[in-house]
């Protein structure tokens, strides 16, 4: 089964202007290629001898750059504009516009050195960047800025800018072409997870549906002695601790369900999924879906509970931005009287890497008390290990006809909490302000989270390039 392609490829545009020192472009080319090679980011750049020092300045230069980018249009996820000197603003804007790729753009300008501002050494990139950005604005082309107005291409600062921009490009590309599997009917008790397929489609997100009965029928049709079942059982055994009281036949049911779900996702080329996780699957088949979802998310193919398609998209955005497995949680409990702490939980869908500890794989706790534990094997349980995290949630606002969301960062803490299932104690700056916003704007009780600090990447990708109305809780 496919995982999203982590490799990002960028089109490099090196600008120059006739009466500035064009040979500075050779240093820019050398330094940016070294940075990209170190970061593992692909690139397409015009040969150095194709134009004067490989830069774009004249109409003929523009034609050559556009031809190069057209030849690789399906492999270019973003443009990086480098201004080793003032640069020719018209050549830059015509290259981007005539390429018609509609991808993110990063604009970099090089620093002048105080001892090199004579006629041969001066760059004036500080000024040239304003001219390029002015043209991008005039043409309605969105772009990403660097950390500082000017920077050294060989610096650690610009390396971080390139890494962040590559993540933005990957997130934009992934979401614009996302296919989300919707498996089963919306869980009847939760109107909160309703969504608009049409609003999502306007952003390029396609929802693919299937009735849960088709998945259950496919699982039941798999021979329990088939080699693929044995292979799946081995994966389950190595994924976490299974208590001795769990019956082997229930583990086999879980393995067959996973195979059926995985096959449907692969056949339909889905990037993420949302599943009707209770109670039909337990009553009509005899196991939980949590383990199947957890193992998919671990492979960066996120799967959300309760047919929460918008939650699955939120998870996928975090996976694209971070390259790490995301989870879907309930904003679930206060933490004592702590004003900036709360508890996030779910029955047992957290990926192993998200937990950060070896999980227990056993029966659902809450549902097990009402429909019987023998129907409920497959919950992945554990307390999330401490560390920084990013949270993100989108929603289709049908009243306003738009996608909206919120994003921010917090911390998983080591504080104890005596509840079963998947548990995360969370420290959130200005928590009351955040939850006031969530309540006033009608956001769902589900939220996607991932380890690490990636809110800036997500915000840049979805706000600037997808035009989703996202509140950044900074």
């Amino acid at each position: 089964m496919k995982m999203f392609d982590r490799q990002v490829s960028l089109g490099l545009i090196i600008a120059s202007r006739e009466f500035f020192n064009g040979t500075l472009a050779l240093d820019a080319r050398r330094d940016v290629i070294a940075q990209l090679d170190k970061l593992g980011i692909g690139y397409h750049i015009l040969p150095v001898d194709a134009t004067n020092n490989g830069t774009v300045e004249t109409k003929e230069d523009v034609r050559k750059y556009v031809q190069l980018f057209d030849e690789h249009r399906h492999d270019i996820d973003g443009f990086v504009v480098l201004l080793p000197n003032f640069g020719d603003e018209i050549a830059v804007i015509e290259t981007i516009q005539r390429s018609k790729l509609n991808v993110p753009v990063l604009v970099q300008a090089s620093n002048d050195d105080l001892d090199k501002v004579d006629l041969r050494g001066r760059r004036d990139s500080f000024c040239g960047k304003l001219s390029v950005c002015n043209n991008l604005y005039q043409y309605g082309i969105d772009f990403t800025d660097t950390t500082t107005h000017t920077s050294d291409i060989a610096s650690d600062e610009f390396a971080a800018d390139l890494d962040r921009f590559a993540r933005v490009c990957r997130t934009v590309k992934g979401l614009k072409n996302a296919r989300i599997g919707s498996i089963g009917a919306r869980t009847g008790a939760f109107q909160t997870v309703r969504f608009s397929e049409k609003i999502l489609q306007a952003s390029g997100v396609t929802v693919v549906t299937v009735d849960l009965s088709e998945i259950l029928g496919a699982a039941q049709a798999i021979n329990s002695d088939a080699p693929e079942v044995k292979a799946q059982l081995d994966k389950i055994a190595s994924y976490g601790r299974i208590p001795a009281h769990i019956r082997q036949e229930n583990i086999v049911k879980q393995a067959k369900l996973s195979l059926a779900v995985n096959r449907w996702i692969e056949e339909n080329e889905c990037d993420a999924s949302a599943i009707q996780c209770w109670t039909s699957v337990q009553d009509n088949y005899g196991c939980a879906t949590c383990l199947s979802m957890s193992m998919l998310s671990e492979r960066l193919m996120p799967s959300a509970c309760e047919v929460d398609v918008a939650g699955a998209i939120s998870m996928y955005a975090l996976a694209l931005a971070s390259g790490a497995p995301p989870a879907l949680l309930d904003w679930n409990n206060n933490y004592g009287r702590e004003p900036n702490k709360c508890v996030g939980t779910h029955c047992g869908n957290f990926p192993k890497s998200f937990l950060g500890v070896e999980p227990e794989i056993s029966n659902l706790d809450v549902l097990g008390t009402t429909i019987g534990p023998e129907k409920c094997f497959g919950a992945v349980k554990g307390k999330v290990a401490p560390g920084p995290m990013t949270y993100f949630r989108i929603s289709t606002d049908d009243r306003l006809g738009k996608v909206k969301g919120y994003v921010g960062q917090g911390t998983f803490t080591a504080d104890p909490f005596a509840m079963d299932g998947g548990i995360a104690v969370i420290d959130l700056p200005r928590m009351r302000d955040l939850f006031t916003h969530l309540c006033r704007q009608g956001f769902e009780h589900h939220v996607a989270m991932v380890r690490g600090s990636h809110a800036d990447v997500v915000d840049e990708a979805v706000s600037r390039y997808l035009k989703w109305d996202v509140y950044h809780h900074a």
Side-chain angles (χ1 to χ4, degrees):
M1 186 180 299
K2 73 182 183 71
M3 288 171 52
F4 69 76
D5 184 3
R6 301 189 196 189
Q7 176 68 35
V8 171
S9 188
L10 303 174
L12 305 183
I13 300 171
I14 303 180
S16 186
R17 183 167 287 220
E18 182 180 11
F19 41 81
F20 288 91
N21 186 355
T23 60
L24 295 171
L26 300 176
D27 295 337
R29 171 184 292 260
R30 178 198 64 213
D31 291 343
V32 74
I33 288 175
Q35 292 278 34
L36 294 171
D37 286 343
K38 191 190 315 181
L39 292 167
I41 299 171
Y43 54 87
H44 296 283
I45 187 170
L46 203 66
V48 70
D49 57 356
T51 66
N52 186 24
N53 297 311
T55 65
V56 63
E57 182 176 357
T58 68
K59 287 183 174 63
E60 180 62 17
D61 297 343
V62 171
R63 187 192 65 78
K64 291 179 179 179
Y65 264 89
V66 171
Q67 181 179 352
L68 170 73
F69 296 147
D70 188 56
E71 290 171 357
H72 299 282
R73 64 184 309 104
H74 297 297
D75 189 39
I76 293 177
D77 307 311
F79 285 129
V80 176
V81 176
L82 300 171
L83 299 171
N85 61 39
F86 189 95
D88 190 293
E89 64 202 65
I90 297 175
V92 170
I93 196 68
E94 288 193 349
T95 298
I96 294 172
Q97 186 197 37
R98 288 171 55 184
S99 295
K100 293 181 169 58
L101 292 185
N102 191 28
V103 293
V105 178
L106 177 68
V107 182
Q108 180 274 346
S110 294
N111 283 314
D112 268 311
D113 294 321
L114 292 178
D115 59 348
K116 297 177 183 177
V117 289
D118 56 5
L119 289 178
R120 177 162 180 78
R122 65 188 289 183
R123 296 177 182 269
D124 291 9
S125 304
F126 191 99
C127 183
K129 182 173 180 177
L130 290 169
S131 296
V132 168
C133 292
N134 171 271
N135 276 263
L136 290 168
Y137 181 83
Q138 287 187 48
Y139 282 71
I141 297 173
D142 293 303
F143 62 92
T144 296
D145 204 353
T146 48
T147 300
T148 53
H149 184 66
T150 54
S151 58
D152 297 325
I153 297 176
S155 67
D156 290 342
E157 177 188 292
F158 187 60
D161 285 336
L162 283 172
D163 178 69
R164 184 165 48 251
F165 181 66
R167 293 171 185 270
V168 168
C169 292
R170 186 173 67 196
T171 304
V172 171
K173 179 182 179 180
L175 291 175
K176 277 186 174 181
N177 299 280
R179 290 173 61 85
I180 311 298
S182 180
I183 301 174
R186 172 180 57 80
T187 305
F190 285 162
Q191 290 191 163
T192 49
V193 295
R194 292 191 291 188
F195 69 98
S196 169
E197 287 190 42
K198 294 180 180 179
I199 292 176
L200 292 174
Q201 191 69 71
S203 293
V205 179
T206 299
V207 178
V208 187
T209 63
V210 65
D211 193 86
L212 184 62
S213 64
E214 295 184 39
I215 301 296
L216 300 186
Q220 290 166 336
I222 299 172
N223 190 318
S224 298
D225 297 321
E228 56 265 35
V229 175
K230 172 65 167 61
Q232 188 65 26
L233 288 170
D234 290 341
K235 292 177 183 177
I236 292 172
S238 64
Y239 197 70
R241 305 183 310 276
I242 302 177
H245 69 269
I246 300 296
R247 295 164 59 182
Q248 181 64 18
E249 63 189 71
N250 290 340
I251 306 175
V252 171
K253 284 183 181 179
Q254 176 66 229
K256 292 164 66 175
L257 179 66
S258 290
L259 289 172
V261 170
N262 292 352
R263 287 173 182 173
W264 183 86
I265 287 174
E266 184 173 9
E267 288 167 1
N268 289 276
E269 299 181 341
C270 293
D271 302 293
S273 60
I275 300 179
Q276 182 185 353
C277 59
W278 58 281
T279 60
S280 180
V281 65
Q282 289 85 7
D283 288 333
N284 296 303
Y285 180 73
C287 75
T289 63
C290 302
L291 178 58
S292 302
M293 296 159 62
S294 171
M295 295 178 80
L296 279 167
S297 297
E298 181 72 15
R299 297 166 59 194
L300 302 183
M301 303 181 70
S303 191
C305 313
E306 295 152 1
V307 203
D308 184 0
V309 168
I313 296 166
S314 306
M315 295 171 73
Y316 186 48
L318 290 177
L320 289 164
S322 68
L328 191 73
L329 297 83
D330 283 352
W331 292 119
N332 208 69
N333 306 88
N334 59 288
Y335 193 80
R337 299 297 180 267
E338 295 279 355
N340 289 321
K341 286 185 181 178
C342 65
V343 181
T345 73
H346 246 161
C347 305
N349 66 325
F350 297 171
K352 184 176 182 177
S353 296
F354 178 82
L355 281 166
V357 296
E358 184 183 20
E360 174 189 304
I361 308 173
S362 56
N363 299 327
L364 293 168
D365 296 302
V366 176
L367 278 182
T369 63
T370 58
I371 65 176
E374 283 302 305
K375 298 179 180 180
C376 293
F377 173 74
V380 179
K381 302 178 183 179
K383 186 172 181 300
V384 176
M389 70 84 178
T390 301
Y391 57 88
F392 178 52
R393 172 78 206 187
I394 67 157
S395 180
T396 56
D397 191 323
D398 299 71
R399 297 178 65 203
L400 300 177
K402 66 180 183 180
V403 179
K404 66 181 181 182
Y406 62 92
V407 67
Q409 293 175 178
T411 306
F412 295 130
T413 77
D415 296 306
F417 195 71
M419 183 183 282
D420 294 322
I423 303 297
V425 179
I426 302 161
D427 187 285
L428 290 172
R430 295 174 38 242
M431 188 175 80
R432 184 69 188 103
D433 293 340
L434 174 63
F435 281 92
T436 296
H437 180 79
L438 269 54
C439 290
R440 296 286 186 192
Q441 294 296 316
F443 280 104
E444 300 81 352
H445 61 293
H446 286 170
V447 62
M449 294 184 183
V450 75
R451 288 190 168 276
S453 302
H454 307 286
D456 287 345
V457 171
V458 174
D459 188 22
E460 182 81 358
V462 302
S463 297
R464 188 174 306 282
Y465 294 107
L466 295 181
K467 303 303 181 186
W468 293 352
D469 185 4
V470 173
Y471 163 65
H472 190 159
H473 186 69

